[in-house]
Every structure is written in structure tokens, then in C-alpha cells.
Amino acid sequence: MNILVAYASKHGATAGIAERIGSTLSAAGLPATVKPVDEIDDVTAYDAVVLGSAAYTLHWMKEATAFAKRHETELAERPVWLFSSGPLGTETVDKEGRDVRETTQPKEFEKFADLLHVRGERVFFGAWDPASPPVGAMEKMMSHLPGKPLASMPAGDFRDWEDIEAWARGIADELRAPGPERG
Ligand SMILES: Cc1cc2nc3c(=O)[nH]c(=O)nc-3n(C[C@H](O)[C@H](O)[C@H](O)COP(=O)(O)O)c2cc1C
């Protein structure tokens, strides 16, 4: 069984999550290939796909959405898991008492739940280094705004590696479980 872990990442935090998912799957005996979405032309060589993206302004990066649409037919024929990287900070519950990982779910989870056979989806806390150079027009514009909104975002690496590995092990368990047709 070959598994593809495909990701979109602007500053590298999501790439790190994807690499950890891939190494956890491989350690569980399921060989995984980890690649940025822009480097993948064909998904038919893979038996299952884990697709993730950094979340910016409540959405996946457009490269990840474009990948899912481009390969929609092939993805719909395979088990698919989705993940997202972001929010930031250490608070898991917001001021209204809601789970931050629910309120920050990217819009794409709902969208692709209908289009693909999504077996699971997960929001992971991300990472942000305010010293990293701005990427893309929006960050460049924000870096020049008075009040420096980028500098005021929670800085640090909030990725929960145990949570990430546990999720990946759950995927491995599901993929190794005998299908109903095999008894
Ligand atoms: C300008 C900006 C906007 C962001 N918007 C969101 C958001 O809407 N939802 C969220 O959960 N995280 C948001 N984040 C946090 C990022 O998703 C988080 O830093 C992520 O781990 C970055 O991944 P990357 O390094 O792979 O690009 C934002 C970060 C920045 C810098």
C-alpha cells in the first residue's frame, strides 16, 4: 500500500506536519510519499491520500484547493484524510467557550466532505515566526500597515507532535483494518 501525503505550506509549518504524518505512517509499515501539492501530477499510483494545507483567513491555500479540484475524480475513488495547520497560540478554548480547533476549521473541510470520501479531518495548531520574510501580496501589504498586524500574531511553534502522530497512527490502523468485503 502506497500513501500520498500532499500539502500546501507558505512558511514551512504545514510541511513539517506533513513530514511527521508521513514518517509516522512509514514507521507503522505503510510507505508514504510526502510532497507539496504543486509537485504532484498524478495520484493514481497511491492507495490513499492525506491532504493538508496551512489556513489563512479561514481558508486553505489556493494551491491545495486547486489540487483537490484538479484530482477530484481520482481522489473520490480513494480514502482521503484532510488536515489543516493553524490556529496559533496555546488557548484551546475561545472566550465563548468554543473549541478553537472547531471555530478555525477551514471552509474547505465542508466543501470537500461532499465531493470526496473523506474518512477523517483534523485541525492542528500551527507555527508562526514574525521574523520570517513576508510571502505573497497580502503579507507584503500587511507588513507595511501601521500597527504591524503580522508582528502582533501569536509567535511560536504550537504544533502538537503527539497529537499529529496519534492522528497518523489512527489512519494507519484504519487502512490496515480488513475491509468488509475481505471479512
Ligand atoms: C496573515 C496570517 C493569517 C492567518 N490566518 C489564519 C486563519 O484564518 N486561521 C487559522 O487557523 N490560522 C491562521 N493563521 C495561522 C497560520 O495558519 C499558521 O501560522 C500556519 O501554521 C502556517 O503554516 P505554514 O508555515 O505552512 O504556512 C494565519 C497566519 C498569518 C500570518
Side-chain angles (χ1 to χ4, degrees):
M1 179 174 288
N2 280 325
I3 304 172
L4 174 65
V5 183
Y7 67 89
S9 176
K10 211 186 267 195
H11 292 281
T14 315
I17 293 173
E19 290 291 348
R20 187 63 67 95
I21 291 170
S23 61
T24 306
L25 288 169
S26 296
L30 298 173
T33 302
V34 182
K35 277 190 180 178
V37 286
D38 287 346
E39 291 179 18
I40 303 159
D41 295 326
D42 187 8
V43 300
T44 56
Y46 302 99
D47 303 294
V49 178
V50 181
L51 172 61
S53 171
Y56 287 95
T57 53
L58 293 176
H59 283 281
W60 265 5
M61 290 171 63
K62 61 179 186 329
E63 293 90 330
T65 311
F67 172 86
K69 284 191 188 148
R70 198 161 63 241
H71 298 286
E72 187 186 318
T73 307
E74 296 78 19
L75 289 172
E77 292 164 357
R78 293 166 167 71
V80 169
W81 281 262
L82 307 179
F83 73 92
S84 190
S85 139
L88 299 168
T90 53
E91 297 298 329
T92 55
V93 174
D94 69 12
K95 288 191 185 89
E96 283 81 40
R98 296 171 304 177
D99 188 325
V100 172
R101 285 171 301 184
E102 279 175 27
T103 56
T104 57
Q105 280 204 3
K107 306 288 180 210
E108 285 70 24
F109 278 10
E110 206 179 318
K111 177 179 181 154
F112 292 121
D114 294 336
L115 295 176
L116 309 175
H117 296 137
V118 178
R119 299 267 292 264
E121 59 197 21
R122 181 64 77 85
V123 169
F124 295 115
F125 276 80
W128 169 240
D129 177 2
S132 67
V135 176
M138 187 185 71
E139 286 187 10
K140 284 183 184 140
M141 185 269 290
M142 287 176 83
S143 68
H144 291 110
L145 284 178
K148 304 263 179 229
L150 284 177
S152 64
M153 306 204 49
D157 187 345
F158 306 100
R159 292 172 293 181
D160 181 342
W161 298 113
E162 277 183 28
D163 190 31
I164 293 161
E165 287 175 13
W167 190 67
R169 281 195 298 272
I171 293 175
D173 289 346
E174 274 198 51
L175 286 171
R176 278 194 310 238
E181 71 280 8
R182 281 172 275 150

